[in-house]
Amino acid sequence: QVQLVESGGGLVQAGDSLRLSCAPSGRTFGTYAMGWFRQAPGKEREFVATINWSGSRTSYAESVKGRFTISRDSAKNGVFLQMNSLKPEDTAVYYCAAGLTGGSRDDDYHSWGQGTQVTVSS
């Protein structure tokens, strides 16, 4: 398992952009798929995006396609989430996760960060 730390959240207006970062707290030597999930108050945690170990494949939730982009930080084994055209419904705590194979299910991941708050006002 790896220790993950998210950063980059904040309070923005609708239509603005944010770039989230997820990085290991220390050096890692394995290769992992990475994913982003989010959870709003009173809601179930939902899948946002995932990227495989090499960065050759990505997948997105329908609600964020065309607006969000996931990418890998190959130098530090981390991951980014570029969020453009933010909407109030994007408001949530965003979590990054690492897994052996990736996927859209939270069960596919074995390591999770503590989350970073994203708030989008209308």
Side-chain angles (χ1 to χ4, degrees):
Q1 295 183 318
V2 297
Q3 302 295 314
L4 303 174
V5 180
E6 303 97 335
S7 63
L11 173 63
V12 298
Q13 298 289 321
D16 286 352
S17 297
L18 282 173
R19 185 175 176 85
L20 305 184
S21 178
C22 173
S25 59
R27 290 185 178 184
T28 61
F29 303 96
T31 57
Y32 304 97
M34 301 293 292
W36 286 96
F37 292 76
R38 66 187 183 186
Q39 187 169 25
K43 301 292 185 180
E44 297 291 326
R45 182 168 56 191
E46 66 174 341
F47 166 76
V48 175
T50 188
I51 188 167
N52 72 342
W53 68 271
S54 69
S56 63
R57 293 183 179 182
T58 59
S59 183
Y60 299 90
E62 289 294 331
S63 60
V64 306
K65 283 183 178 179
R67 299 188 298 119
F68 291 11
T69 303
I70 187 171
S71 60
R72 296 197 70 105
D73 179 358
S74 59
K76 297 183 177 181
N77 297 315
V79 66
F80 300 106
L81 184 68
Q82 179 66 45
M83 305 185 294
N84 298 326
S85 301
L86 283 163
K87 304 174 180 179
E89 51 262 45
D90 295 319
T91 295
V93 176
Y94 284 71
Y95 300 90
C96 69
L100 295 178
T101 59
S104 61
R105 296 182 56 190
D106 53 8
D107 288 348
D108 294 327
Y109 300 87
H110 57 74
S111 300
W112 295 82
Q114 295 299 307
T116 185
Q117 177 71 49
V118 172
T119 302
V120 185
S121 62
S122 60

